[in-house]
Amino acid sequence: MAPKLRFANVAQSDFFATVRQRVDAYFTTQHLSRHANGAMWRKTIILLLSFVTLYLLVLVGPFSLWIRLGLAMLLGACCAFIGFNICHDAIHGAFSANKRVNHAFSLLFHLVGANPYVWSLTHNLVHHTYTNIVGHDEDLEVAPGLLRLSAEDPVRPWHRYQHWYAFPLYGLASLSWVFRKDYVKFFQRTIGQYAPPAHPRREYWNLFGYKALYYLLFLLVPYLVLSLKWWQLVVGFLALHLVMGLVLGLVFQLAHVVEGTAFPVPDEQGDVQEAWAVHQLRTTANFAPQSQLASWLCGGLNRQIEHHLFPRVCHIHYPALARIVRQTAQEFGLPYLENASFGGALRSHYRVLYQFGRPA
């Protein structure tokens, strides 16, 4: 077992205290809540109505199989956007000041095939604390052995081609959630180097009960209602998840595995020399920050820096926070990494995959 990590803050940086004070002052002076506003509630209603509409059109719409296939792919994208915008904020406690509202919206994660309790462990606790630290950040284990996303991982002969096959692999991400990852992480003794406490008994029921509900809604019901052949059902289900997985995989990878992001290595005592907030700046990048479409669809995750520093603030406020964080980082001489467009971030990620696929 590796030693427990500690952010030593050797330089005694006051960056986070300063930026947090300024963000607090912004919400106070503007008389704003940190949680969802009217625009966020409208987006929530639009996404949920889109989900229900697409699901029903697939089941009962007077369409050919090819059109149903296209609708299933749109439904996959919609599931990803619901995960980004609604569930992600709710599980972080950022959607509402009311814990019951957050809990209710976090349950929607089950309808996109993932378990919110497991996500809170792997993402909220582990990824947000140990970002880009090999052996600790589970988000770097996209496809262990198949992808090399850090210089700390050993180079394998097939990695020289990973810049080509990585993107199809990302498409399998949500399938892994539905059938494998949640079960594996739930019963692992450690997640990275984090040993979670004993799971509450209700979470065992939630894991298996909601998975069964998902299989019912997305496998059994379509099979019975549409009278599909088994292979037609499999094709539609795979199409939904390949789109959903690709959207999920790209958004998360473009935030942490692009040119300029660091992959810090703790010392033998388990110390990371910098403060936690400075570590977040060095390991995280924004993409397409000026794109209103990217912000709307990605739930603000194109402004990943602001999200990592203030995960309990609803993403609808990230554009205002970005100005404060960028200015403060500049004052402290710290990096503020951005790719101006989605395409630019995609090309940067491709180059990183290419570089990590070869020996140093």
Side-chain angles (χ1 to χ4, degrees):
M1 178 72 70
K4 186 174 181 179
L5 289 189
R6 183 175 72 95
F7 293 94
N9 193 12
V10 172
Q12 297 295 305
S13 173
D14 291 327
F15 163 73
F16 191 50
T18 302
V19 75
R20 184 169 55 188
Q21 183 182 46
R22 292 175 178 179
V23 166
D24 290 345
Y26 164 77
F27 284 109
T28 300
T29 58
Q30 297 297 317
H31 306 289
L32 293 174
S33 165
R34 295 168 176 263
H35 304 290
N37 57 15
M40 180 64 197
W41 279 101
R42 287 191 293 273
K43 178 160 64 166
T44 299
I45 293 170
I46 291 171
L47 287 171
L48 293 180
L49 287 177
S50 298
F51 174 87
V52 173
T53 301
L54 288 168
Y55 180 79
L56 292 177
L57 285 175
V58 170
L59 287 183
V60 300
F63 305 119
S64 68
L65 287 178
W66 285 107
I67 293 179
R68 290 186 199 279
L69 181 63
L71 290 171
M73 296 170 72
L74 287 175
L75 180 58
C78 184
C79 288
F81 299 143
I82 287 174
F84 291 150
N85 286 274
I86 305 172
C87 306
H88 186 240
D89 271 21
I91 296 170
H92 273 293
F95 192 101
S96 172
N98 188 317
K99 291 183 178 180
R100 292 184 177 180
V101 173
N102 287 324
H103 177 69
F105 280 127
S106 73
L107 294 178
L108 294 174
F109 219 39
H110 294 296
L111 291 181
V112 301
N115 183 279
Y117 172 74
V118 174
W119 175 260
S120 70
L121 296 176
T122 61
H123 181 78
N124 291 16
L125 289 176
V126 176
H127 169 67
H128 269 259
T129 304
Y130 308 118
T131 312
N132 275 19
I133 300 178
V134 176
H136 295 264
D137 184 359
E138 294 257 315
D139 277 16
L140 293 177
E141 298 184 13
V142 179
L146 291 176
L147 290 180
R148 183 174 186 256
L149 300 180
S150 165
E152 299 304 305
D153 292 330
V155 181
R156 304 301 184 192
W158 51 85
H159 288 153
R160 66 184 298 110
Y161 307 108
Q162 68 174 8
H163 54 293
W164 294 113
Y165 66 73
F167 299 98
L169 277 180
Y170 295 157
L172 302 177
S174 61
L175 278 173
S176 175
W177 266 352
V178 170
F179 292 115
R180 176 186 174 275
K181 183 177 179 179
D182 283 338
Y183 298 115
V184 170
K185 298 303 179 185
F186 188 87
F187 289 104
Q188 274 184 191
R189 295 183 63 183
T190 61
I191 300 174
Q193 299 297 329
Y194 171 72
H199 303 309
R201 182 174 298 180
R202 68 178 179 276
E203 295 302 339
Y204 288 84
W205 291 101
N206 288 339
L207 177 66
F208 292 102
Y210 281 110
K211 287 290 185 186
L213 175 63
Y214 184 84
Y215 303 148
L216 172 70
L217 291 175
F218 284 86
L219 289 172
L220 184 59
V221 170
Y223 182 76
L224 295 176
V225 172
L226 297 173
S227 300
L228 295 172
K229 297 178 180 178
W230 71 266
W231 64 267
Q232 293 173 325
L233 175 67
V234 169
V235 169
F237 189 77
L238 286 177
L240 182 154
H241 277 285
L242 287 174
V243 171
M244 180 180 170
L246 183 61
V247 174
L248 291 170
L250 285 179
V251 167
F252 288 121
Q253 293 304 315
L254 298 188
H256 297 290
V257 188
V258 292
E259 293 163 310
T261 54
F263 296 83
V265 179
D267 63 22
E268 293 181 357
Q269 287 71 45
D271 286 348
V272 177
Q273 298 303 306
E274 294 181 308
W276 170 83
V278 176
H279 172 85
Q280 298 304 319
L281 289 178
R282 298 197 187 280
T283 57
T284 308
N286 292 346
F287 65 88
Q290 302 307 318
S291 170
Q292 293 184 3
L293 179 62
S295 296
W296 200 94
L297 293 177
C298 297
L301 294 181
N302 59 318
R303 295 185 182 274
Q304 193 83 192
I305 294 172
E306 285 67 38
H307 171 60
H308 268 251
L309 292 176
F310 299 99
R312 295 183 66 83
V313 173
C314 181
H315 73 265
I316 206 76
H317 301 293
Y318 289 172
L321 267 58
R323 293 188 290 270
I324 300 171
V325 174
R326 183 189 297 108
Q327 178 183 342
T328 309
Q330 291 172 348
E331 290 175 11
F332 279 80
L334 296 172
Y336 186 87
L337 304 174
E338 284 187 324
N339 283 293
S341 67
F342 178 84
L346 194 63
R347 290 189 294 272
S348 180
H349 179 59
Y350 176 89
R351 290 190 291 268
V352 169
L353 288 172
Y354 179 87
Q355 292 162 5
F356 281 148
R358 282 151 177 74

